[in-house]
């Protein structure tokens, strides 16, 4: 084992190779102290990781137990749903998201719940143990007992983290964040692609050989995320993203890859002053503040994984003041909005060239699904014509360039959710084939084109061309 000497500033933690009278970072005098660091080579680290368990051995397929993976039960239902039913022992999960969105909060909440029954080690490279303790007390609200099996450590050297794991033998390891941990034998600094990838590979090795479930937190930065979670997506079993508008309370936990469950599953949370609370009925929550019969509002039904979500889409058109008309989407793809506006202009003859157009998805959600096209178009047309969209209707349909409407998938699930929330009518594309029965309590209005659909949506007095009740 190699060892070397380095000097660490007691004031600011700056590390330098040779002694300095004055710290180059914080400027403090005589603050450097000598520190001897023992280096282990990568293969030694690997041996240590493997040493936690027996060596690998090829076995025939028949020999290997085929039972369904036993999962660790997770009390947070929304989180369990996204993971596919609980935590798989020996799996490695990456939780990505913008800084400040609530990743550490979510992980600490999960850790505290799991630590009632299992041993959990929470490694932080970002916050001190005291800071984490303070957050934990805030989350507990000074009521419940402190979970007995939750261990905290502030450490960034992966070798030392692995030592702690070896001593403590936790069932769950949380690393906050993967960008802060490093292997000293690699030349590059923490957060570089090499470090992030190598550290994650070691931690995967740990998970696979010892059965410890590992959660990594990874930051996504707006500027292309150099060493962000993207580098790690193929190393880990499951990739989760925590999304949402920082100025809104709702947070969506989305799985974009999952070796143990469905992808693009979504869990909905709301940020409170003492932590993230689950939102079991998100559609209801998203529609709670809706103004009925106000122009410029339409209800879309989008699918997030297997879960239908009803969301309010707001549109506002306003005469352009200076130069070019602006298109400002919030929660909707910019190019999708341009397409919808182009179809409204060319196929329906609406005069939008000199109108600024704003589209907003209420609740801070980001909608990628074309099934929301019709609701977006209706919200814009409703504002432009100053006519409200029928209050009891949901609008579902993808818009084609010819102004035609197309049927999105999973219609029965969408319609059932709309019926459950008390909507009476659904305006949908005309179906050629209909595989499954649609809910009986909904009146289904079918439209071939966007023009027909808007006629039905904005002018309820007009008799629909063909109206039928589905059974
Ligand atoms: P944090 O989990 O630190 O974000 P990340 O780890 O993703 O960078 O939390 C970010 C925000 O959440 C922070 O601005 C404060 C807020 N917050 C609450 O609103 N309520 C709470 O109970 C906690 C712990 C945090
Ligand atoms: Mg954090």
């Amino acid at each position: 084992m190699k060892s070397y000497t380095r000097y660490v500033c007691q004031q600011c933690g700056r590390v330098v190779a040779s002694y300095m009278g004055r710290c180059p970072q914080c400027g403090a005098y005589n603050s450097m102290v000598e520190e001897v660091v023992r280096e282990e080579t990568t293969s030694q680290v690997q041996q240590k990781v493997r040493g936690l368990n027996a060596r690998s051995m090829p076995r025939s397929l028949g020999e290997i137990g085929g039972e369904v993976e036993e999962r660790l039960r997770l009390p947070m239902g929304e989180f369990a749903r996204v993971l596919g039913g609980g935590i798989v022992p020996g799996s490695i999960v990456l939780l990505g998201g913008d800084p400040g969105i609530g990743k550490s909060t979510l992980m600490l909440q999960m850790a505290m719940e799991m630590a009632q029954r299992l041993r959990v080690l929470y490694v932080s490279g970002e916050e001190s143990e005291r800071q984490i303790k303070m957050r934990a007390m805030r989350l507990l609200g000074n009521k419940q007992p402190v979970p007995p099996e939750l261990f905290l450590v502030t450490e960034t050297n992966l070798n030392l983290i692995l030592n702690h794991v070896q001593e403590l033998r936790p069932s769950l390891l949380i690393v906050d964040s993967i960008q802060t941990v490093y292997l000293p034998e690699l030349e590059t600094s923490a957060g570089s692609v090499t470090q992030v990838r190598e550290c994650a590979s070691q931690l995967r090795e740990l998970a696979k050989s010892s059965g410890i479930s590992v959660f990594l937190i990874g930051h996504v930065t707006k500027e292309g995320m150099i060493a962000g979670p993207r580098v790690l997506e193929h190393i880990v079993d499951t990739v989760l993203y925590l999304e949402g508008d920082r100025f809104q309370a709702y947070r969506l936990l989305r799985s974009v890859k999952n070796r143990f469950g469905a992808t693009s599953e979504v869990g909905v949370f709301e940020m409170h002053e003492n932590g993230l609370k689950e939102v079991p009925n998100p559609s209801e929550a998203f529609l709670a503040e809706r103004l009925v019969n106000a122009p410029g509002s339409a209800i879309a039904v989008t699918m997030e994984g297997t879960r239908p979500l009803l969301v309010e889409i707001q549109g506002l058109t306003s005469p352009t003041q200076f130069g070019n008309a602006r298109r400002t989407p919030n929660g909707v793809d910019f190019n999708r909005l341009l397409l919808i506006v182009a179809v409204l202009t060319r196929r329906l003859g609406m005069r939008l060239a000199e109108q600024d157009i704003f589209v907003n998805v209420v609740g801070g959600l980001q909608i990628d699904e074309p099934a929301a096209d019709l609701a977006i178009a209706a919200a814009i047309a409703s504002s432009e014509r100053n006519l409200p969209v029928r209050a009891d209707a949901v609008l579902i349909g993808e818009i084609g360039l010819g102004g035609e409407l197309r049927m999105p998938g999973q219609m029965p699930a969408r319609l059932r959710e709309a019926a459950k929330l008390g909507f009476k009518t659904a305006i949908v594309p005309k179906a050629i084939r209909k595989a499954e029965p649609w809910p009986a309590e909904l009146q289904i209005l079918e439209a071939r084109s966007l023009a027909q659909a808007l006629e039905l949506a904005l002018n309820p007095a007009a008799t629909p061309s063909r109206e039928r009740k589905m059974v």
Side-chain angles (χ1 to χ4, degrees), residues 97-106 126-127 135 138-139 176 217 219 242 246 251 271-276:
D98 293 335
I101 202 77
K103 300 181 295 299
S104 305
T105 306
L106 180 65
E126 311 212 329
E127 287 154 311
R135 174 181 306 198
R138 180 176 173 186
L139 295 175
D176 182 3
I217 292 182
H219 292 297
L242 189 61
R246 269 177 61 172
R251 299 284 183 271
M271 184 64 97
H272 289 263
E273 63 273 26
N274 51 0
L276 287 156

Side-chain angles (χ1 to χ4, degrees), residues 141-142 173 177 212 250 330 342 358-359 379 403 451:
N142 300 328
L173 170 69
S177 65
I212 298 174
Y250 294 113
N330 186 11
F358 302 88
V359 170

Side-chain angles (χ1 to χ4, degrees), residues 364-377:
L365 239 65
Q366 179 72 35
I367 300 185
D368 303 322
E369 234 204 349
D373 286 357
L374 179 56
I376 298 171

Side-chain angles (χ1 to χ4, degrees), residues 108-128:
L108 188 60
Q109 260 178 282
M110 194 264 290
M112 288 202 295
E113 289 193 355
M114 296 309 286
Q116 302 289 353
R117 289 169 291 135
L118 302 166
R119 181 166 289 188
V120 182
L121 176 59
Y122 190 109
V123 181
S124 181
E126 311 212 329
E127 287 154 311
S128 68

Side-chain angles (χ1 to χ4, degrees), residues 181-471:
V181 297
Y182 71 101
L183 278 165
E185 53 270 24
L186 300 179
E187 304 273 290
T188 53
S189 58
S192 67
V193 178
T194 327
Q195 283 285 7
V196 165
R197 200 188 290 139
E198 191 54 35
C199 290
S201 303
Q202 298 292 340
L203 287 163
R204 179 177 73 173
E205 190 89 12
L206 172 76
K208 298 298 158 204
S209 59
S210 66
I212 298 174
S213 305
V214 179
F215 282 81
L216 309 177
I217 292 182
H219 292 297
V220 187
T221 52
K222 288 251 154 53
E223 308 79 38
M225 47 199 178
I226 314 137
R230 290 276 144 158
V231 187
L232 302 173
E233 277 181 8
H234 63 280
I235 298 177
V236 299
D237 295 316
T238 303
V239 180
L240 309 178
Y241 275 94
L242 189 61
E243 311 172 340
D245 196 327
R246 269 177 61 172
F247 302 103
Q248 302 248 7
Y250 294 113
R251 299 284 183 271
L252 261 70
L253 184 66
R254 198 187 290 273
S255 70
V256 294
K257 164 181 172 178
N258 195 351
R259 289 196 178 130
F260 310 109
T263 44
S264 60
E265 210 46 88
V266 158
V268 184
F269 296 89
E270 199 174 356
M271 184 64 97
H272 289 263
E273 63 273 26
N274 51 0
L276 287 156
K277 297 271 177 313
E278 300 178 55
V279 181
N281 277 321
S283 299
E284 235 165 73
F286 290 141
L287 299 185
E289 290 165 12
R290 174 179 169 226
L291 283 179
V292 177
N293 281 327
S297 155
I299 307 299
V301 190
T302 73
M303 293 300 294
E304 298 291 349
T306 55
R307 164 188 267 180
L309 277 185
L310 268 72
V311 283
E312 179 186 356
I313 301 201
Q314 297 179 331
L316 182 66
T317 58
S318 153
T320 305
Q321 297 297 336
F322 313 100
N324 288 341
R326 294 183 8 180
R327 273 72 182 108
T328 316
N330 186 11
V332 176
D333 180 51
F334 182 65
N335 290 317
R336 201 78 211 163
L337 175 61
L338 292 187
L339 183 148
I340 294 167
V341 172
V343 173
L344 284 171
T345 310
R346 286 297 309 277
R347 306 291 172 205
L348 277 81
M350 286 180 65
R351 293 161 166 264
L352 296 171
E354 285 172 10
Q355 298 283 332
D356 288 340
I357 299 177
F358 302 88
V359 170
N360 182 34
V361 179
V362 176
L365 239 65
Q366 179 72 35
I367 300 185
D368 303 322
E369 234 204 349
D373 286 357
L374 179 56
I376 298 171
I380 297 171
S382 161
S383 169
E384 171 65 12
R385 295 185 186 161
N386 211 21
L387 280 174
V389 175
R390 306 172 57 136
D392 65 343
V394 294
L395 290 89
I396 308 166
E398 180 181 345
I399 298 174
L401 292 185
E404 79 278 14
L405 281 188
R406 298 214 198 90
M407 184 75 85
Q410 302 176 329
M411 285 302 280
R414 294 177 204 262
L415 295 175
R416 273 198 301 275
E417 178 77 2
K420 207 173 87 190
L421 282 156
F423 284 86
K424 298 280 179 287
T425 312
I427 300 177
V428 303
K430 187 159 173 51
I432 317 268
R433 285 172 296 154
K434 189 162 65 65
E436 291 166 78
W438 288 354
E441 57 274 39
L442 270 188
Q443 181 193 27
I444 307 285
L445 302 181
E446 293 179 309
R448 272 191 195 285
S449 66
L450 176 58
Q452 278 178 11
L454 291 185
E455 181 88 356
L456 294 171
L458 297 179
N459 193 357
T463 1
S465 49
R466 200 167 140 244
E467 181 180 314
R468 60 187 167 111
K469 271 208 155 184
M470 313 300 272
V471 205

